[in-house]
Each structure stands twice: as structure tokens, then as C-alpha cells.
Amino acid sequence: GENVEQHPSTLSVQEGDSAVIKCTYSDSASNYFPWYKQELGKGPQLIIDIRSNVGEKKDQRIAVTLNKTAKHFSLHITETQPEDSAVYFCAAAATEYGNKLVFGAGTILRVKS
Amino acid sequence: DSGVTQTPKHLITATGQRVTLRCSPRSGDLSVYWYQQSLDQGLQFLIQYYNGEERAKGNILERFSAQQFPDLHSELNLSSLELGDSALYFCASSVDLGGGLGDTQYFGPGTRLTVL
């Protein structure tokens, strides 16, 4: 089955700097890659997603890139702010298997002000 | 607020007991997914229902079962509870567009289950 690896497990950046989180997946059938942000005591919140028919997607300070050949995708957050501090999860789904998400282990992002 | 609601927010029970977790999907969403989040296993997919029918199954224990009702709300039943079942249980929903290119899932706030 699918396996998703996520790095780093923790990331500390200074406010205003950029943060990059990387994920790799194993199943070449995976074609949907969402990123979720989870704050303490809350459910995962979708921040951006990308489908296999595009290589990059951007939404204000957040961007995601996908390299299907290398089977990896990355989250880029620019101009980080203290409110970006949270746990970030990447996930992968192969829609032929019913859209179930396989999650990475998560990255704790701390933005220091 | 994702539009997905879950009740109860917290549940404390004893080993061997049975509990039911409830989820109401976003208006218009036909698919409901259940996930378990624990410190050792992370976020893991349990089961998906689409318009009342089971569509996909993950590593869901035989002691666990789920169903989706005609009004599209879903219930996750956990029985013969063990200490290791203590976790956060999340429900997510999606409209399920088909088309084969992935369907955005919106998560509820979760139910924290503590088994003593």
C-alpha cells in the first residue's frame, strides 16, 4: 500500500522567513496531494491541494510543488507569521482506491517572533 | 469552521464498553470518511461511505463498524474497547465529484475518546 514520508519532523523559523516541508510517496497511482494544518485541539484544516495534472499551485503565501517522476511534493510558506505555527500534514490519495488519504507523520512548525 | 460536525467532543469510558460517535457532513457532501489519530500511529484512514454504501476500508478493527444513514449522517461504533483505542477520531466529508482526480476532504473537530 501507499507510504508517505514527511520531513522535517520539526521546523523552527524566524518570523518573515520561508518554511519548506517535503514529502515523498511510494504508490505511482497516487494522484491527489492535499496539505493540512492542525492547531491544538482542532481538526485538520485544508490549506492547499494539488492534483497530478499540474506541477505547481500557489495561494497567496502558500505554494505546493509536485514532481511525479521523483514521487515527491513540497509545501512552501513564505513570509511566515506567528499564526502559521501549527502541525502540518501532507497526504496522498490514489482515487482509483476510493480517495482515502494516507498521511505523513506531520511537521511541527514554530515561527519565532 | 469546516461545516462538518461531530458529537460528542469528549468521551470517557471503561475497557470493554461500547460507544457511538456521530458525524454530520457538510451540506451537499455525499461521502463521509473516518480517521483515527493517535500519537503512535498518526492519522490513519478507517473507512469511507458514499451515499449510504461502504466504498473503501482501511485498517479498521473488526470491533469497529460504521454506517451512513439516508440523511447522510454517519456513526462509528467502537465495541469491546481497549486502552489502545484511546485516540482522536475525525470525520471528514467530500462532495465526491468523480472524474478521478481527487476530492477535497473537510474535517470535523473530532471526538476525543479516552478508555480507562
Side-chain angles (χ1 to χ4, degrees):
Chain A
E2 174 66 282
N3 181 52
V4 177
E5 294 194 358
Q6 183 172 345
H7 298 280
S9 56
T10 61
L11 180 59
S12 288
V13 299
Q14 204 64 35
E15 182 179 358
D17 288 350
S18 294
V20 180
I21 303 171
K22 299 182 179 182
C23 289
T24 60
Y25 61 98
S26 60
D27 190 347
S28 56
S30 289
N31 56 356
Y32 174 60
F33 307 92
W35 287 86
Y36 287 87
K37 175 184 180 182
Q38 187 176 23
E39 296 173 317
L40 201 60
K42 296 186 177 180
Q45 175 192 4
L46 180 78
I47 55 171
I48 196 166
D49 57 9
I50 191 167
R51 292 169 172 82
S52 60
N53 56 348
V54 298
E56 185 173 355
K57 185 176 177 181
K58 190 174 180 181
D59 182 5
Q60 298 182 352
R61 297 186 297 112
I62 295 173
V64 58
T65 58
L66 170 65
N67 183 326
K68 287 186 292 183
T69 303
K71 293 185 193 162
H72 67 70
F73 55 114
S74 301
L75 177 72
H76 305 251
I77 306 174
T78 59
E79 300 172 19
T80 54
Q81 301 165 2
E83 51 266 37
D84 293 330
S85 297
V87 182
Y88 289 81
F89 292 95
C90 63
T95 53
E96 66 185 77
Y97 306 146
N99 206 42
K100 63 179 185 181
L101 295 175
V102 177
F103 282 88
T107 296
I108 300 171
L109 174 63
R110 295 191 185 93
V111 180
K112 297 175 286 187
S113 56
Chain B
D1 183 359
S2 67
V4 178
T5 60
Q6 290 187 248
T7 56
K9 195 171 177 62
H10 301 279
L11 200 48
I12 301 174
T13 188
T15 54
Q17 295 298 304
R18 174 189 167 94
V19 297
T20 297
L21 314 183
R22 184 188 169 102
C23 166
S24 292
R26 295 187 323 153
S27 177
D29 285 359
L30 296 177
S31 269
V32 168
Y33 311 78
W34 286 98
Y35 292 85
Q36 179 193 60
Q37 186 176 37
S38 62
L39 282 174
D40 54 344
Q41 301 281 351
L43 260 166
Q44 286 207 316
F45 169 77
L46 295 177
I47 197 163
Q48 176 197 0
Y49 276 81
Y50 172 78
N51 204 20
E53 299 290 325
E54 183 184 304
R55 174 166 275 188
K57 220 168 184 176
N59 295 326
I60 187 168
L61 300 171
E62 284 192 13
R63 300 184 286 109
F64 296 2
S65 65
Q67 57 185 131
Q68 186 179 26
F69 295 86
D71 66 352
L72 301 179
H73 90 272
S74 178
E75 292 180 356
L76 179 67
N77 300 295
L78 315 176
S79 61
S80 303
L81 285 167
E82 302 174 358
L83 296 177
D85 297 327
S86 295
L88 275 165
Y89 291 85
F90 289 105
C91 167
S93 74
S94 72
V95 65
D96 211 322
L97 297 168
L101 276 180
D103 201 28
T104 301
Q105 295 182 32
Y106 296 91
F107 281 72
T111 293
R112 180 175 293 280
L113 173 66
T114 303
V115 182
L116 301 174

